[in-house]
Amino acid sequence: MKRKISPMAFSIFNELRLEGKLCDVVIKVNGHEFNAHKNILCGCSPYFRALFSSSWSNSEKKLYNIPGISPDMMRLIIEYAYTRSMTITTNNVEELLIAADQLNIMGIVQACSEFMIGQLCLENCIGICKFTEYYYCPDLRQKAYLYILHNFEDIVKTSHEFLELSAMELRDFIEKDELNIKQEDVLFEAIIKWIDHDTTARKQFISILLSEVRLALMNPEYFMNSIKTHDYVKNSEECKTIIIKALTDMYDLNMHGVINYDCTKPLTRPRLPNAILLAIGGWSSGFPTNAIESYDARADRWVNVTCHAETPRAYHGTAYLKGYVYIIGGFNSMDYFNSVKRFDPFKKIWQEVAPMHSKRCYISVTVLDNHIYAMGGYDGHVRLNTAERYEPENNQWTMIAPMHEQRSDASATTLDGKVYICGGFNGMECLFTAEVYSPEIGQWNIIAPMESPRSGLGAIAYRDQIYVVGGFDGVNRLRSVEAYSPTSNTWHIVPSMFHQRSNFGIGVVDDRLFVAGGFNDFTTSYVECYDEKSGEWYDVQDMNFYRSALSCCVVPGLTNVRGYTVR
């Protein structure tokens, strides 16, 4: 067995170092000397092991001069060797990482990398990414690079570092499928902004950069009026070929429809989405289904990602939390479930976790502060007003205060640190009412009632309001939509959907509200989305499966997102 030095032994050695006792080496940097013990320094760094044991270093040698490191950094490094702890700040982290990289102290390199990952922001991410080109910190490099790709639009607007990129560095970012931009015109305008910063030196790169824009996916009017006629483009011979090719591909795409995106062509291949919408389970053709589809909003495509080993389930809830998709409660046409399963979308592995206290079909589920909330539902005998909360770290469900009303077929969401639940069915009537739960006081409070009673509705936080969509009012399936403002405690009418529906999936992707499937005298695969900026609903690609009683959740930042898209 490998024997390790105990913390007490480290503490004793550190006391001896501070007292200058039994030290057998002196490290000298920039005129400053530090007493230490060779064995302790060797224990934290292969650099010191090589330094003290190499053929040109005899065992009697005591003084070692180390260039390129400041006294302050060496002091921190030696303290780390004895205590395995140090104070990292925004002022010392880069210099400390450089020194640790020089001395091959990977514990410090890792700690500095994690600190810098926590400091990533729009203003510094490009600088940090460039920094990692010179020092070995792969985790930091990957996180900084992905941060740039995922936040490119905001970086262009706010970061001065963006303007200092070289042409090849900029091209490296904009050519990536993972670049998170909703419209390609944003990318063209970013290129123009970058060239304008130093027009004389940079206008020569317009063709190199323009060739990475997915031009055929643009609005034709914008392409003709803003790109084809731009001075940088008109004055470049190389751009003429790009423009002709883009017009040809744009024509082909418009003739054959977006369903025929050619992902092999650079000008027509959609970018990868930063987040996918998963539609899970539901009721189809008279039976529960285990179907799972992912929606790629950039390509407007649904992809079948069904795990055939998974059991069918309907009238359940889903939640995404810390890298896992949780499937909660539900019904399989015979049994009502209190069971909970979680899906790892990276490894594509299912695992059963702790069950809820109650069986819950027609359940309402949401996530707040790294907890999953499960509320109401039907246990096979009664409609429930109880609620419980799941802590993934402890794999434990805990009962919280009951709601004021029994609610099955309600819908829940979170906004500004509170849980909202709206509508539902109490066993006798469809409900107008809604409630809000405050975790700080552990209490539910009734809020203003909705304009319409709604059972089987969808509720979701969207642009600082709570939207409730569709449902069943006791007589008809609804296509109406309302939005609740917490500041005024009032509801107002929002433009209605195209299709009446209840018991559908709902989610917000790319700042648009999506509804999928549901029931309206028949089970549907229809999908539509609402854009608050335009105040309009739009039809999008139908799901591959007709189903109601499904549940949707949004999964962001998947490193294996290609496995959930058409590419």
Side-chain angles (χ1 to χ4, degrees):
M1 294 179 64
K2 204 170 186 178
R3 189 181 295 271
K4 295 182 179 179
I5 300 177
S6 69
M8 181 177 292
F10 270 117
S11 178
I12 292 170
F13 272 111
N14 196 38
E15 289 178 13
L16 291 171
R17 175 184 71 87
L18 295 172
E19 294 169 2
K21 295 178 180 178
L22 303 180
C23 295
D24 56 358
V25 68
V26 176
I27 302 298
K28 187 174 183 179
V29 292
N30 200 20
H32 290 71
E33 295 184 352
F34 299 90
N35 291 314
H37 302 89
K38 288 183 178 179
N39 285 345
I40 298 297
L41 297 184
C42 287
C44 83
S45 163
Y47 174 93
F48 286 118
R49 290 199 292 275
L51 180 65
F52 300 148
S53 61
S54 64
S55 58
W56 48 265
S57 175
N58 64 68
S59 59
E60 302 299 322
K61 185 173 180 179
K62 186 171 183 180
L63 180 66
Y64 291 84
N65 187 56
I66 298 180
I69 297 177
S70 72
D72 287 341
M73 294 305 105
M74 184 56 73
R75 182 177 295 106
L76 289 173
I77 287 168
I78 290 176
E79 287 176 358
Y80 171 81
Y82 284 84
T83 66
R84 289 301 189 268
S85 65
M86 70 203 134
T87 300
I88 302 176
T89 68
T90 53
N91 293 326
N92 70 17
V93 63
E94 286 193 16
E95 188 181 0
L96 182 57
L97 191 151
I98 293 168
D101 181 78
Q102 178 181 331
L103 300 181
N104 198 13
I105 305 175
M106 297 314 297
I108 296 180
V109 171
Q110 184 63 30
C112 290
S113 294
E114 291 173 0
F115 181 88
M116 294 175 79
I117 287 170
Q119 298 294 311
L120 281 169
C121 65
L122 301 176
E123 289 75 20
N124 68 17
C125 57
I126 292 176
I128 289 175
C129 192
K130 286 186 175 184
F131 175 81
T132 62
E133 294 174 4
Y134 302 99
Y135 307 100
Y136 183 73
C137 30
D139 289 346
L140 176 59
R141 177 165 182 78
Q142 182 190 36
K143 289 289 172 51
Y145 194 85
L146 289 176
Y147 188 95
I148 295 168
L149 292 178
H150 291 169
N151 297 277
F152 187 80
E153 285 192 39
D154 292 329
I155 290 168
V156 171
K157 293 175 186 175
T158 62
S159 171
H160 182 73
E161 292 180 343
F162 166 75
L163 298 174
E164 301 305 319
L165 288 169
S166 71
M168 293 305 102
E169 287 170 338
L170 178 55
R171 183 185 183 184
D172 179 60
F173 289 121
I174 67 177
E175 71 177 1
K176 295 294 186 292
D177 287 342
E178 294 82 0
L179 190 72
N180 183 31
I181 53 171
K182 299 181 186 72
Q183 302 291 337
E184 292 292 319
D185 57 343
V186 170
L187 186 51
F188 177 74
E189 289 165 10
I191 291 169
I192 298 305
K193 180 177 181 179
W194 179 84
I195 294 175
D196 285 345
H197 187 66
D198 187 359
T199 304
T200 303
R202 294 181 174 180
K203 63 183 180 180
Q204 61 180 308
F205 297 110
I206 181 62
S207 63
I208 294 174
L209 299 174
L210 188 65
S211 65
E212 304 301 342
V213 182
R214 315 288 164 92
L215 295 170
L217 302 181
M218 286 184 162
N219 178 289
E221 184 178 348
Y222 180 88
F223 177 83
M224 298 300 292
N225 296 335
S226 299
I227 296 179
K228 187 172 178 289
T229 60
H230 195 282
D231 287 343
Y232 294 153
V233 176
K234 286 195 304 181
N235 295 331
S236 168
E237 284 296 320
E238 294 84 358
C239 283
K240 291 179 180 178
T241 304
I242 298 172
I243 294 297
I244 293 170
K245 184 69 170 67
L247 286 169
T248 302
D249 288 345
M250 192 178 291
Y251 174 80
D252 290 342
L253 193 61
N254 289 336
M255 285 294 292
H256 298 105
V258 294
I259 194 65
N260 293 296
Y261 282 129
D262 188 343
C263 293
T264 65
K265 292 183 178 181
L267 297 182
T268 62
R269 185 172 67 248
R271 307 277 177 179
L272 288 168
N274 188 40
I276 57 166
L277 180 68
L278 284 184
I280 300 173
W283 199 269
S284 181
S285 301
F287 298 96
T289 178
N290 64 355
I292 304 177
E293 297 179 74
S294 64
Y295 178 67
D296 178 350
R298 302 288 165 81
D300 188 25
R301 299 270 193 94
W302 288 91
V303 178
N304 184 0
V305 292
T306 301
C307 174
H308 294 288
E310 185 51 29
T311 55
R313 192 178 294 216
Y315 299 105
H316 54 287
T318 62
Y320 175 79
L321 179 60
K322 291 188 173 181
Y324 293 98
V325 175
Y326 290 80
I327 316 298
I328 303 161
F331 179 60
N332 70 352
S333 79
M334 292 186 295
D335 297 320
Y336 298 88
F337 297 132
N338 65 344
S339 61
V340 180
K341 293 187 175 182
R342 73 178 188 183
F343 175 64
D344 183 333
F346 181 74
K347 297 179 180 178
K348 299 188 177 179
I349 294 174
W350 288 90
Q351 176 186 15
E352 190 144 351
V353 298
M356 297 180 290
H357 292 276
S358 300
K359 296 180 179 181
R360 299 180 188 272
C361 173
Y362 313 112
I363 189 175
S364 300
V365 169
T366 191
V367 173
L368 178 64
D369 295 334
N370 293 323
H371 293 82
I372 298 173
Y373 286 77
M375 296 147 284
Y378 178 63
D379 65 3
H381 302 285
V382 296
R383 314 286 163 171
L384 304 173
N385 70 340
T386 59
E388 45 191 308
R389 177 171 59 200
Y390 178 71
E391 299 177 51
E393 289 79 8
N394 303 325
N395 189 27
Q396 183 176 343
W397 288 90
T398 304
M399 300 301 296
I400 63 172
M403 298 178 291
H404 291 275
E405 299 223 40
Q406 296 169 292
R407 298 179 188 273
S408 69
D409 252 339
S411 189
T413 188
T414 57
L415 181 65
D416 296 334
K418 295 179 180 179
V419 173
Y420 291 82
I421 189 165
C422 305
F425 181 65
N426 65 5
M428 294 180 291
E429 59 183 350
C430 299
L431 300 172
F432 290 87
T433 58
E435 307 182 40
V436 60
Y437 178 77
S438 302
E440 296 81 6
I441 60 176
Q443 182 177 314
W444 289 94
N445 289 305
I446 297 290
I447 61 174
M450 299 178 292
E451 299 286 333
S452 300
R454 298 176 187 270
S455 174
L457 72 160
I460 198 160
Y462 177 51
R463 289 184 160 258
D464 300 321
Q465 296 185 93
I466 305 297
Y467 278 67
V468 293
V469 182
F472 179 63
D473 66 3
V475 179
N476 299 306
R477 312 290 163 181
L478 304 174
R479 64 186 190 93
S480 62
V481 183
E482 307 174 44
Y484 173 77
S485 169
T487 54
S488 63
N489 189 31
T490 57
W491 294 89
H492 64 272
I493 300 299
V494 174
S496 296
M497 297 182 289
F498 297 132
H499 305 284
Q500 299 165 301
R501 65 179 90 209
S502 67
N503 300 102
F504 49 89
I506 189 167
V508 172
V509 181
D510 273 354
D511 202 28
R512 292 177 293 168
L513 189 161
F514 286 80
V515 293
F519 186 78
N520 175 27
D521 298 327
F522 59 90
T523 301
T524 179
S525 63
Y526 298 150
V527 184
E528 53 189 300
C529 73
Y530 178 71
D531 188 338
E532 193 268 346
K533 291 180 182 177
S534 65
E536 294 184 0
W537 286 89
Y538 302 91
D539 276 322
V540 295
Q541 185 64 33
D542 293 351
M543 291 188 293
N544 298 307
F545 300 95
Y546 292 84
R547 49 183 160 158
S548 63
L550 69 157
S551 187
C552 287
C553 70
V554 175
V555 180
L558 276 177
T559 55
N560 63 330
V561 70
R562 288 180 188 272
Y564 294 86
T565 69
V566 294
R567 278 137 298 200

